[in-house]
C-alpha cells in the first residue's frame, strides 16, 4: 500500500480527485486520501471511451468491500482512454494512486477550468480541515 | 471504528480482504463481546425453551449446543441464536447484540413458573477464533462441532464453544468480562490475526449464514429463509402452526444465494427484477466476484436461474447458486 503523498505536479479537486494536465489533455485519478478512506478497492466502474464528463459531476464509481463512492470529475472533457489495469486489478489504485492506478485520460473541454483547481499545498490544507 | 448496537466496533484492523483471507487460510480472532448472553434456569427451563425455540431441544445433551430460532406467532424470527445446554435445568442463549433486548423481553414476558430468564450479557466477553489452524494456534484439541466445555487459554478460564460464523473450523471463547483483555492478548500472542466486523460479514455471507436484520427479520419466516432444518415442526413452539402451513403450501418467496455474472457488487435493498430484493451483498474476497442473498419469487429461486439486479439504476446479471456460495477445496 502506498504511503501518503500529494505530488506537486498535480492539480486537485476538493472531492479528492487529481488531474495531471498535459496541454489540452489530462489524466485523472483519486488521491491518496480518497483511496485510504475507502479501503481496498475491489471495483472500478469506468465510463465508456467517448463519454463526456462534466466538472464537479460523478463520472465513475469505485467500490471497496464495504462502500461505494462516486468519482467526481475535476475537469470537463471527453474520455479518450480508460485504465484497463484499474478495472482488472482495482487494488492498483490503492498501491499507486498517482501512477499505475490512474483512472481515465480526457481531452479538456475548457482548459480554463484548470485555474479553479487547487495545488498540492492548498489540497493538503483542505484535507487537514476534514 | 463504527457504532454498532451501542458498542464501538472495529470494522477492520489491517483490511477486510487480508483479514478474511487469514481466516480462510490460517486463523483470525473476532472480538464479539457485543453478543448477548441470556441464562435460562429452573426446573421448567427445558419445557419453557422447547416452547419458545424452533429447534428440538430434546436432541441436546449436557455439553451440546444447537442453532435455533426464537419465533413469533406469525412464524417470524425474533432472533437467531445458539442455545448451549449446561444441564437439564440450565441453558445459555447467545443472542445477537441488536436483538439482546428484544430476545430478553420476549422471553421474560413469557417466563413460566419454574423458569428464570436473566440477561448476563455484561458479565461476559466473547472471542471467536476461526480458521483451519485455529485449534493448533490455541493449543486446543479437536472436538465435535456444536459442543462446549470449560477450558483455559494461557491461564484464562474460558468456556470453549465449538461454534462460529465463518464456515471454518474454530471456537468461540467465552470468559469473564474482567479477563477480556487478557484473553484477547493471549490469543493474538499465539499468532492469530485480529479480524473486524467487515471480514465477519464477508466470511458469513460466503457460506450463506443469515444475518438477522438483513436476511431474516420478525417479518420473514424460517421456511422462506431456507431454515426449515432449524424447525422441529412436530413440536409446538411459537408460530409452529403457521410454519407448518407455509411448509405444506410452499413459501411464496425464497432466500436465494447468487453470484454476479457481470462486474458489479450487490448491496442490501437493491431491487431484483421480477420482484425481489437483495438482503446481503458484497465482493467475495475468496472468489473475487460479487455475491449476495435476496428474496425472490419461489419459482425463481432454483440454482442456475438468471437474475437481474438493479445496481443503482444499471441492470446487472446474476445467477442463483446452491448454498453455500463458497466451499472449501478438499
Amino acid at each position: 500500500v502506498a504511503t501518503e503523498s500529494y505530488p506537486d505536479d498535480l492539480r486537485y479537486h476538493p472531492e479528492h480527485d487529481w488531474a495531471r494536465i498535459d496541454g489540452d489533455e489530462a489524466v485523472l485519478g483519486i488521491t491518496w486520501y480518497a483511496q485510504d478512506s475507502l479501503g481496498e478497492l475491489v471495483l472500478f466502474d469506468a465510463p465508456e471511451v467517448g463519454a463526456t464528463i462534466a466538472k464537479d459531476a460523478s463520472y465513475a464509481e469505485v467500490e471497496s468491500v464495504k462502500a461505494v463512492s462516486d468519482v467526481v470529475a475535476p475537469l470537463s472533457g471527453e474520455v479518450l482512454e480508460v485504465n484497463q489495469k484499474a478495472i482488472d486489478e482495482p487494488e492498483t489504485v490503492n498501491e499507486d494512486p498517482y501512477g499505475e492506478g490512474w483512472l481515465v485520460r480526457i481531452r479538456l473541454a475548457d482548459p480554463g477550468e484548470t485555474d479553479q483547481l487547487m495545488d498540492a499545498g492548498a489540497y493538503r490544507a483542505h484535507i487537514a480541515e476534514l | 471504528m463504527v457504532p454498532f448496537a451501542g458498542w464501538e466496533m472495529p470494522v477492520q484492523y489491517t483490511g477486510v480482504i487480508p483479514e478474511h483471507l487469514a481466516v480462510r487460510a490460517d486463523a483470525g480472532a473476532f472480538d464479539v463481546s457485543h453478543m448477548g448472553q441470556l441464562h435460562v434456569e429452573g426446573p421448567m427451563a427445558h419445557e419453557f425453551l422447547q416452547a419458545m425455540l424452533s429447534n428440538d431441544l430434546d436432541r441436546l445433551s449436557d455439553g451440546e449446543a444447537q442453532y435455533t430460532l426464537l419465533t413469533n406467532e406469525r412464524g417470524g424470527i425474533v432472533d437467531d441464536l445458539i442455545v448451549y445446554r449446561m444441564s437439564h435445568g440450565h441453558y445459555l442463549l447467545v443472542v445477537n447484540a441488536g436483538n439482546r433486548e428484544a430476545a430478553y423481553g420476549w422471553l421474560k414476558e413469557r417466563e413460566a413458573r419454574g423458569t428464570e430468564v436473566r440477561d448476563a450479557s455484561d458479565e461476559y466477553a466473547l472471542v471467536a477464533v476461526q480458521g483451519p489452524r485455529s485449534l493448533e494456534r490455541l493449543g486446543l484439541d479437536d472436538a465435535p462441532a456444536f459442543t462446549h466445555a470449560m477450558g483455559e487459554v494461557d491461564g484464562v478460564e474460558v468456556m470453549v464453544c465449538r461454534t462460529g460464523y465463518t464456515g471454518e473450523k474454530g471456537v468461540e471463547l467465552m470468559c469473564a468480562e474482567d479477563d477480556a483483555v487478557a484473553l484477547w492478548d493471549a490469543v493474538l500472542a499465539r499468532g492469530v490475526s485480529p479480524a473486524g466486523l467487515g471480514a465477519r460479514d464477508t466470511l458469513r455471507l460466503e457460506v450463506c449464514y443469515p444475518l438477522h436484520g438483513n436476511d431474516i427479520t420478525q417479518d420473514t419466516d424460517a421456511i422462506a429463509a431456507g431454515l426449515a432444518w432449524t424447525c422441529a415442526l412436530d413440536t409446538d413452539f411459537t408460530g409452529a402452526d403457521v410454519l407448518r402451513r407455509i411448509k405444506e403450501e410452499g413459501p411464496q418467496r425464497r432466500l436465494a444465494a447468487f453470484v454476479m455474472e457481470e462486474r458489479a457488487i450487490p448491496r442490501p435493498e437493491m431491487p431484483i427484477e421480477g420482484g425481489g430484493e437483495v438482503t446481503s451483498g458484497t465482493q467475495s474476497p475468496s472468489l473475487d466476484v460479487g455475491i449476495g442473498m435476496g428474496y425472490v419469487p419461489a419459482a425463481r429461486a432454483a440454482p442456475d436461474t438468471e437474475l437481474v439486479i438493479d445496481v443503482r439504476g444499471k441492470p446487472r446479471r446474476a445467477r442463483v447458486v446452491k448454498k453455500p456460495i463458497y466451499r472449501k477445496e478438499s
Side-chain angles (χ1 to χ4, degrees):
Chain A
V1 174
T3 50
E4 184 167 14
S5 72
Y6 304 100
D8 285 333
D9 62 326
L10 306 181
R11 306 287 277 177
Y12 297 86
H13 184 278
E15 292 295 324
H16 313 295
D17 310 276
W18 56 261
R20 180 176 286 119
I21 297 151
D22 180 12
D24 66 345
E25 290 185 10
V27 172
L28 311 182
I30 64 170
T31 64
W32 185 91
Y33 179 91
Q35 67 77 32
D36 185 59
S37 309
L38 285 161
E40 313 131 290
L41 297 184
V42 290
L43 191 143
F44 168 40
D45 190 5
E48 303 275 328
V49 169
T52 300
I53 68 173
K55 183 175 183 299
D56 305 325
S58 168
Y59 71 93
E61 288 172 347
V62 286
E63 296 193 48
S64 63
V65 173
K66 294 299 290 180
V68 188
S69 179
D70 282 322
V71 183
V72 170
L75 296 166
S76 304
E78 180 195 345
V79 177
L80 300 175
E81 188 183 356
V82 169
N83 183 5
Q84 191 62 38
K85 189 170 167 77
I87 294 174
D88 294 338
E89 298 163 35
E91 66 273 19
T92 308
V93 179
N94 299 105
E95 291 158 2
D96 190 8
Y98 307 111
E100 298 259 293
W102 63 278
L103 299 182
V104 297
R105 186 166 60 84
I106 63 168
R107 175 174 294 116
L108 297 177
D110 174 8
E113 280 179 347
T114 57
D115 295 341
Q116 298 166 37
L117 297 178
M118 294 181 275
D119 63 17
Y123 180 68
R124 270 201 200 87
H126 167 66
I127 55 176
E129 284 168 20
L130 297 177
Chain B
M1 300 292 280
V2 293
F4 181 83
W7 294 71
E8 284 293 317
M9 299 288 296
V11 172
Q12 60 175 51
Y13 294 87
T14 54
V16 176
I17 296 170
E19 291 167 22
H20 178 113
L21 298 176
V23 172
R24 289 273 181 256
D26 189 326
F30 304 82
D31 177 0
V32 286
S33 300
H34 61 301
M35 304 284 289
Q37 286 86 11
L38 310 179
H39 285 287
V40 180
E41 292 176 81
M44 294 301 285
H46 179 90
E47 290 72 13
F48 171 64
L49 286 178
Q50 181 73 315
M52 292 289 113
L53 302 175
S54 66
N55 216 329
D56 187 0
L57 216 55
D58 288 345
R59 299 209 315 237
L60 282 191
S61 305
D62 293 355
E64 292 183 340
Q66 188 177 63
Y67 178 68
T68 188
L69 308 174
L70 181 61
T71 46
N72 63 28
E73 290 86 354
R74 295 171 286 119
I77 301 168
V78 178
D79 197 16
D80 64 329
L81 57 100
I82 294 178
V83 55
Y84 297 87
R85 176 166 155 147
M86 315 305 286
S87 65
H88 180 77
H90 183 191
Y91 290 88
L92 177 67
L93 278 50
V94 175
V95 302
N96 284 301
N99 294 330
R100 168 183 164 185
E101 282 168 30
Y104 174 71
W106 181 273
L107 292 170
K108 196 73 190 166
E109 215 169 276
R110 289 161 180 77
E111 196 177 74
R113 202 180 182 79
T115 307
E116 159 110 45
V117 182
R118 187 166 65 84
D119 182 353
S121 306
D122 295 336
E123 297 169 25
Y124 300 108
L126 187 62
V127 175
V129 184
Q130 303 276 300
R133 294 190 64 197
S134 54
L135 301 182
E136 175 194 334
R137 293 265 188 202
L138 293 174
L140 292 170
D141 291 328
D142 206 354
F146 285 93
T147 60
H148 63 90
M150 292 311 293
E152 57 121 351
V153 174
D154 297 332
V156 181
E157 196 186 3
V158 290
M159 178 171 151
V160 182
C161 306
R162 309 291 172 149
T163 47
Y165 196 46
T166 62
E168 295 293 334
K169 187 178 265 301
V171 292
E172 292 177 298
L173 304 173
M174 202 179 303
C175 70
E177 192 260 331
D178 285 347
D179 292 336
V181 173
L183 176 61
W184 180 254
D185 289 347
V187 168
L188 296 194
R190 285 175 164 273
V192 178
S193 329
L197 278 189
R200 186 168 161 81
D201 190 57
T202 53
L203 287 158
R204 69 92 195 164
L205 183 52
E206 284 187 345
V207 290
C208 297
Y209 291 172
L211 173 63
H212 196 278
N214 282 42
D215 310 305
I216 53 176
T217 70
Q218 300 246 11
D219 300 314
T220 61
D221 67 82
I223 311 299
L227 297 175
W229 63 274
T230 68
C231 298
L233 292 176
D234 53 342
T235 65
D236 263 320
F237 61 92
T238 317
D241 51 336
V242 177
L243 293 173
R244 277 192 285 267
R245 202 184 64 233
I246 295 171
K247 177 138 199 226
E248 197 182 305
E249 294 172 358
Q252 298 197 324
R253 48 183 209 152
R254 285 185 187 277
L255 185 64
F258 59 85
V259 172
M260 298 308 297
E261 304 253 273
E262 296 183 80
R263 204 188 292 271
I265 304 173
R267 306 283 184 185
E269 293 178 34
M270 285 181 177
I272 300 173
E273 274 185 22
E277 192 182 75
V278 175
T279 52
S280 284
T282 192
Q283 176 83 357
S284 160
S286 301
L287 307 172
D288 199 23
V289 65
I291 60 167
M293 292 201 288
Y295 284 96
V296 294
R300 303 185 52 73
D304 283 331
T305 306
E306 288 278 340
L307 299 178
V308 177
I309 317 284
D310 179 344
V311 179
R312 292 178 297 282
K314 292 167 285 192
R316 293 288 183 253
R317 281 180 296 109
R319 183 172 45 83
V320 177
V321 296
K322 195 171 176 313
K323 295 174 190 172
I325 297 167
Y326 167 85
R327 271 191 190 76
K328 233 177 163 58
E329 290 161 32
S330 47

